[in-house]
Amino acid sequence: MLITGASFGIGRALALQLGLAGADLLLAARSLDELEKVASDLHELGGRARAYEVDLTDPASVDAFTTQLAAEGVQVDVVVHNAGKSIRRLIAQSLDRTHDFRRTIGVNYLGPVQLQLALLPAMMARRAGHIVSVQSLGVRLPPAPRWAAYTAAKAAFDAWLRSAGPELRQHGIACTSIYLGLVHTRMSAPTAAYGQMPGMTADEAARVICRALIHRPRRIQPWWLGPLRVLAPWCEGLVDRALGWSLRRERTP
Ligand SMILES: NC(=O)c1ccc[n+]([C@@H]2O[C@H](COP(=O)([O-])OP(=O)(O)OC[C@H]3O[C@@H](n4cnc5c(N)ncnc54)[C@H](OP(=O)(O)O)[C@@H]3O)[C@@H](O)[C@H]2O)c1
């Protein structure tokens, strides 16, 4: 089982939970030292995990990673696309920052697609496998200001997997999208207000992913998301006014 973004946060918590449950893990991210710490903690406890350095924003790095896996004869049956990068910034402050959009699309969309395409032939040949996308609730809600770079990139991979899902199921491959709300990790920490808001811990979020790995549903989302999505088109004006009010309030000293 491959977990991307296993060096910190949700991915790290997931690696520890699955490793202790006996899974044979491939851990991928840029911080090789952190991945090796997770792997060695697991080895001490009797688990099996190998660490791989990969930068999802760099096509050559993703290519080198998948080539290495093939050379090692590693069969990947389950992929948890968990690595992610968020950026919370006003468009007015992003005018000279196209790199923000390139980075977020690289980590959250293009890199995962390149990785998955390289792993698919073997999964298709075996007619088995499970692809899990660790998603943000933001992609199922009316898009919020400041999150343009992140939400667009997460939504791209969400649409990719939901579009590929029916095709992949024909090849015996299950696909699951997990829509998480706030999780208190390194990613959410820079936004001070989130510290006061209710959210999951990384361990709690990892348990949700474990549930997905056992039951393989098409999606996991909070129960209230369905009714909210039905109501949303009727409340567009109200939502726009509320978002405008919160932006003005944040900017007023
Ligand atoms: N935290 C939240 O509130 C929240 C809510 C909904 C969904 N999510 C999603 O949950 C997932 C995990 O987020 P988290 O909260 O655990 O964040 P995190 O603690 O910042 O962890 C992000 C992981 O992604 C890896 N990563 C970042 N850039 C990468 C790159 N270029 N190449 C390879 N790996 C890279 C990081 O490792 P390196 O830095 O070592 O590369 C790290 O392991 C993300 O997909 C995120 O979108 C988070």
Side-chain angles (χ1 to χ4, degrees):
M1 181 183 313
L2 167 62
I3 305 172
T4 67
S7 49
F8 296 99
I10 299 168
R12 183 178 187 281
L14 180 67
L16 292 171
Q17 288 180 21
L18 290 172
L20 290 177
D24 189 354
L25 298 177
L26 311 171
L27 311 177
R30 291 166 306 175
S31 310
L32 189 60
D33 49 344
E34 294 295 331
L35 294 176
E36 282 171 343
K37 267 189 233 161
V38 178
S40 89
D41 286 352
L42 282 173
H43 289 156
E44 274 174 29
L45 297 162
R48 287 166 297 165
R50 274 166 286 174
Y52 294 86
E53 183 176 356
V54 58
D55 181 350
L56 287 166
T57 63
D58 177 2
S61 171
V62 178
D63 194 38
F65 173 49
T66 54
T67 304
Q68 185 181 354
L69 291 182
E72 290 173 0
V74 176
Q75 283 198 349
V76 182
D77 48 358
V78 178
V79 186
V80 181
H81 291 282
N82 164 78
K85 167 143 190 79
S86 77
I87 291 179
R88 181 176 183 267
R89 185 166 287 128
L90 291 169
I91 289 295
Q93 291 166 2
S94 309
L95 302 178
D96 58 351
R97 297 182 61 93
T98 49
H99 56 280
D100 279 356
F101 299 86
R102 285 190 218 287
R103 273 190 299 172
T104 47
I105 206 78
V107 187
N108 298 304
Y109 176 56
L110 293 174
V113 169
Q114 184 188 350
L115 176 60
Q116 193 54 64
L117 290 177
L119 298 175
L120 272 179
M123 292 169 103
M124 286 172 164
R126 287 197 303 279
R127 295 196 57 77
H130 189 193
I131 301 170
V132 177
S133 165
V134 180
Q135 270 299 337
S136 160
L137 256 185
V139 306
R140 306 287 279 171
L141 294 170
R146 297 177 193 267
W147 292 107
Y150 175 64
T151 306
K154 294 293 283 185
F157 191 65
D158 186 50
W160 185 84
L161 191 60
R162 286 190 294 119
S163 172
E167 291 181 48
L168 294 174
R169 277 186 272 279
Q170 301 289 313
H171 294 274
I173 299 165
C175 299
T176 303
S177 303
I178 303 173
Y179 301 96
L180 296 175
L182 177 64
V183 185
H184 294 289
T185 63
R186 183 181 77 143
M187 180 178 280
S188 53
T191 306
Y194 289 171
Q196 318 303 320
M197 287 167 62
M200 280 192 256
T201 62
D203 276 326
E204 287 167 339
R207 278 198 285 278
V208 175
I209 301 171
C210 288
R211 190 152 49 88
L213 292 168
I214 295 166
H215 299 292
R216 301 187 165 205
R218 288 186 190 191
R219 78 182 72 85
I220 293 186
Q221 62 186 31
W223 67 267
W224 46 262
L225 192 63
L228 195 79
R229 281 170 58 79
V230 173
L231 286 176
W234 307 97
C235 308
E236 242 171 4
L238 193 67
V239 170
D240 267 2
R241 280 200 294 281
L243 291 174
W245 174 81
S246 81
L247 272 173
R248 284 192 298 278
R249 191 164 165 265
E250 252 188 79
R251 275 197 242 146
T252 311

